[in-house]
Amino acid sequence: MSLVGSNNEQKIWNYLYTKLGNAYGVAGLMGNLYAESALKPNNLQNSYEKKLGYTDDSYVSAVDNGTYTNFVRDSAGFGLAQWTFWSRKQNLLDYCKSRGTSIGDLEMQLDFLYKELSESYVSVLTVLKNASSVSQASNAVLLQFERPADQSVAVQNKRTSYGQNYFNKYAKTINTGGTIMSVKIGHASIDENNKISGGAAGDQTGKEVCVRDWYNKSWNCVIRPKDKEVAEKIAKAMEQACASNYIGYDQSQRTTLYTQAKACGWDLSKIKVPCEADCSSLVSVCVNAAGISVSKDIYTGNEKAALVNTGKFIVLTESKYIASSTYLKRGDILLSSGHTAVVLSDGAGVVSSDSDYESSDTTTTVTDFPQVPFTVKVIISDLNYRSSGSMSGKVLGQTGKGTFTIVEVNSDGWGRLKSGAGWIYLGNPTYCTIQSSVASTAPSTPSTFKSYHVKVTADVLNIRKGAGTNYGTNGAIRDKGVYTIVAESNGQGATKWGKLKSGAGWISLDYCKKI
C-alpha cells in the first residue's frame, strides 16, 4: 500500500488506523514512537552518532550500500521504534532485504512494526485494537513492547501526553466525516423484560449491564477520583461487570452483586454465580473494587455525599463536564437525579502535558476551598505561577516547595498569591495541598459582635454559603429589603461580607447600605 499523508505524522497515523481501527490504540502507539524516534525512520540513537561516527543519513546510507556491516550487533537503537536488541535488528534487516528497500524506508518499517506486533506481541496488539483510553494503549506499548530502562510513572505520563496530542489532532475526523468519536460509559440499565425488577439473575440479554456511548441525561455532576490509579481501577471494574453474563439488573436484588464481588476479592471477572445490581449499587461495587470502602446501600440520592465523604473524590458541575463528553476522563462517575454511570474512555478535550499538568489532572471544585485568605503547601519544586488565573496566563516563574498564602480564588480553581507573584492552580493534590484559613481573618462571632441592619442596594444580591465568591449560592435577595447582619468577615471577592441573622448565608456588604 502507498502511504497517505503530507508528512510522516499523517502517514503513520493513517497507516496505523487502517491496521488497528482504534484511535486510542493508534495514538498510544504513536506517542511511544515519537518518544523513541520523533517519528523519523532514519533515526540513529543520538548517543551512538559520535560513538559510531555517523549521522542519521550517513548511517542509513552505509547500511544500505554494505560499507557498514555491524548493524545487527552495534547495540544502537534505530528507526521508528528504536530497535536495539540484535535479534530484532537482524529481523528488521532481513525484512528490509526481502522488500528491496532502504533500511530507513518508512513504509517498510511500519510493515515490519505491524508484523512484530501480530506475530510476537499479540497481547499488545489486542490492547491496541480494543483500548478505551490513550493511557491504556500507551502503557501497553511502553511496558510490553518498547520496555526502556526507565518505565516510571513519570515516563508513562509523558508518553501518554504525546499520544493524547495525536488523538486530539486526528481522532475527530477519521473515516467519520468530522464526527467526534463517542466517549464510552458503563452502567446497569434495565432487566431482560424492560422492567426494574422481577427478571432472572444474571445478564439475560447482554445489555442489562453494558457499555454504550455517552448520552446527555441531564447529568447533575461528575464525581472524579482524585487519584488516577483509583480512576483506572473503577473503570476496569465496570468493564469487568459489563463483560460478565453473571451480573444482571434488578433493583429488588441490588446488593447481591456486592456480596459476590466481596467474596471474590473485588475481582468481578471471577464472579461465577448469577447476581444482580442496579446503577448505584454497581457503582458502589466498582468503588470498593478500587480500594475505597462505601456502603452497598448507596443510591443516587446520597451517592455524591457518600463518595465525597471518603475524601477520595471531587465534584465537577461546570457545563463542560455535565452537558458534554469532551472533558470527561476514564474513571469519572456520572450522576443524575435517577441514574449513575462510569466513564470508560477519555473525551477528545482531555490533554495531559508535562509543563502544565497542574491544570489537567485532578481538578478541585471552588467550593472545596476554605475561606480566603488561606494557606497551601506546595509539595513540588516546579509549580508554575501565572500572570492570570487560567492556562492562558503567561508563566512568570515557579514557586518552589513551601507554604504560601492565597488571597483570592477564581471560579476555575486558581488562587492568587499574597506575594503578588501571580496565580497558581489549586486543584491537583499531587502538586499542592490546601491548608486552613488564616486565623486572623476568621469571622466575628455573635458573642463579640454587635448586630446591625443593612438595606440591600443591588437588584439581585447572591446569598452565599460562606464569606466569598468562591462559595456556592443559597439563593438571592431581590427585594432591596432591610436585613440583620450578625457577623462580618474579610472574604474573597468583596471588602467585607456579612452573615444574615436568618442563617441563610453571607452577602457582600459592598452592595448594602448600613442603616
Side-chain angles (χ1 to χ4, degrees), residues 15 18 56-58 60 121 123 137 141 157 171 208 239 241 252 267 399 401 404:
Y15 175 95
T18 63
D56 291 345
D57 290 337
S58 64
V60 168
Y121 298 89
S123 62
V141 177
N157 290 339
E208 295 184 44
E239 288 171 338
S252 63
D267 183 347
T399 60
K401 296 180 180 180
F404 300 85

Side-chain angles (χ1 to χ4, degrees), residues 326-339:
T326 305
Y327 295 98
L328 296 178
K329 289 186 177 183
R330 178 172 165 85
D332 281 350
I333 297 171
L334 301 168
L335 181 65
S336 72
S337 59
H339 193 54

Side-chain angles (χ1 to χ4, degrees), residues 55-224:
T55 64
D56 291 345
D57 290 337
S58 64
Y59 183 78
V60 168
S61 179
V63 174
D64 285 346
N65 63 32
T67 58
Y68 182 71
T69 59
N70 198 34
F71 174 79
V72 172
R73 296 284 182 173
D74 63 11
S75 299
F78 175 75
L80 285 177
Q82 287 292 279
W83 288 281
T84 304
F85 193 67
W86 74 267
S87 62
R88 295 179 74 182
K89 291 188 76 175
Q90 180 69 68
N91 291 338
L92 174 62
L93 182 61
D94 291 344
Y95 188 77
C96 168
K97 291 178 178 179
S98 72
R99 292 281 296 269
T101 67
S102 167
I103 195 69
D105 182 76
L106 176 59
E107 186 172 358
M108 180 276 296
Q109 288 193 16
L110 287 171
D111 286 341
F112 179 74
L113 171 66
Y114 190 76
K115 183 174 185 292
E116 272 200 323
L117 288 169
S118 58
E119 294 178 356
S120 303
Y121 298 89
V122 177
S123 62
V124 176
L125 182 60
T126 299
V127 172
L128 295 178
K129 288 184 174 182
N130 296 281
S132 55
S133 69
V134 175
S135 61
Q136 181 186 10
S138 179
N139 286 342
V141 177
L142 172 68
L143 303 177
Q144 300 176 52
F145 182 77
E146 291 292 355
R147 294 183 290 190
D150 187 353
Q151 301 178 13
S152 64
V153 172
V155 171
Q156 293 175 34
N157 290 339
K158 179 176 289 188
R159 295 199 178 199
T160 295
S161 73
Y162 295 153
Q164 189 68 53
N165 288 336
Y166 291 123
F167 182 90
N168 295 341
K169 187 173 183 178
Y170 292 112
K172 295 181 180 181
T173 55
I174 299 173
N175 296 341
T176 61
T179 302
I180 297 175
M181 295 181 62
S182 298
V183 166
K184 302 297 182 182
I185 64 173
H187 66 160
S189 179
I190 200 73
D191 78 2
E192 68 270 26
N193 300 312
N194 290 320
K195 295 181 179 180
I196 62 173
S197 63
D203 194 337
Q204 306 301 313
T205 64
K207 296 180 180 180
E208 295 184 44
V209 176
C210 65
V211 176
R212 62 165 296 173
D213 291 343
W214 176 91
Y215 62 104
N216 193 341
K217 190 178 171 60
S218 299
W219 304 108
N220 295 330
C221 65
V222 171
I223 306 172
R224 175 166 291 174

Side-chain angles (χ1 to χ4, degrees), residues 252-268:
S252 63
Q253 300 292 323
R254 65 191 300 270
T255 63
T256 56
L257 168 60
Y258 181 98
T259 301
Q260 293 300 322
K262 185 175 182 180
C264 292
W266 302 109
D267 183 347
L268 277 61

Side-chain angles (χ1 to χ4, degrees), residues 264-474:
C264 292
W266 302 109
D267 183 347
L268 277 61
S269 67
K270 295 181 179 179
I271 293 176
K272 303 301 178 184
V273 177
C275 53
E276 306 278 56
D278 65 2
C279 62
S280 50
S281 67
L282 174 58
V283 167
S284 78
V285 167
C286 294
V287 171
N288 276 280
I292 301 172
S293 179
V294 293
S295 171
K296 66 180 183 298
D297 297 315
I298 66 172
Y299 63 100
T300 53
N302 68 4
E303 181 179 323
K304 179 171 72 171
L307 297 183
V308 171
N309 287 342
T310 66
K312 304 295 184 181
F313 298 87
I314 52 90
V315 177
L316 304 170
T317 57
E318 295 179 66
S319 61
K320 70 177 185 178
Y321 298 111
I322 62 176
S324 166
S325 65
T326 305
Y327 295 98
L328 296 178
K329 289 186 177 183
R330 178 172 165 85
D332 281 350
I333 297 171
L334 301 168
L335 181 65
S336 72
S337 59
H339 193 54
T340 186
V342 170
V343 177
L344 300 179
S345 58
D346 290 341
V350 174
V351 179
S352 175
S353 75
D354 301 320
S355 60
D356 297 316
Y357 196 68
E358 67 268 23
S359 73
S360 60
D361 194 59
T362 303
T363 314
T364 302
T365 54
V366 293
T367 53
D368 289 333
F369 299 128
Q371 176 185 315
V372 291
F374 60 86
T375 56
V376 296
K377 183 177 181 181
V378 176
I379 55 180
I380 61 171
S381 60
D382 56 352
L383 179 60
N384 291 333
Y385 58 86
R386 295 176 177 272
S387 59
S388 61
S390 73
M391 285 304 299
S392 62
K394 181 180 179 181
V395 175
L396 301 176
Q398 296 176 325
T399 60
K401 296 180 180 180
T403 300
F404 300 85
T405 300
I406 301 299
V407 295
E408 182 179 352
V409 178
N410 69 15
S411 60
D412 293 322
W414 291 74
R416 182 166 62 86
L417 294 167
K418 182 180 180 180
S419 66
W423 295 73
I424 61 174
Y425 187 71
L426 305 174
N428 188 346
T430 305
Y431 285 70
C432 65
T433 56
I434 309 301
Q435 298 185 310
S436 59
S437 296
V438 178
S440 61
T441 64
S444 304
T445 62
S447 61
T448 60
F449 182 86
K450 186 176 181 179
S451 62
Y452 60 89
H453 296 95
V454 296
K455 179 175 175 57
V456 175
T457 58
D459 291 332
V460 179
L461 181 59
N462 286 330
I463 302 171
R464 297 196 174 268
K465 298 176 182 178
T469 56
N470 56 315
Y471 288 90
T473 59
N474 269 341

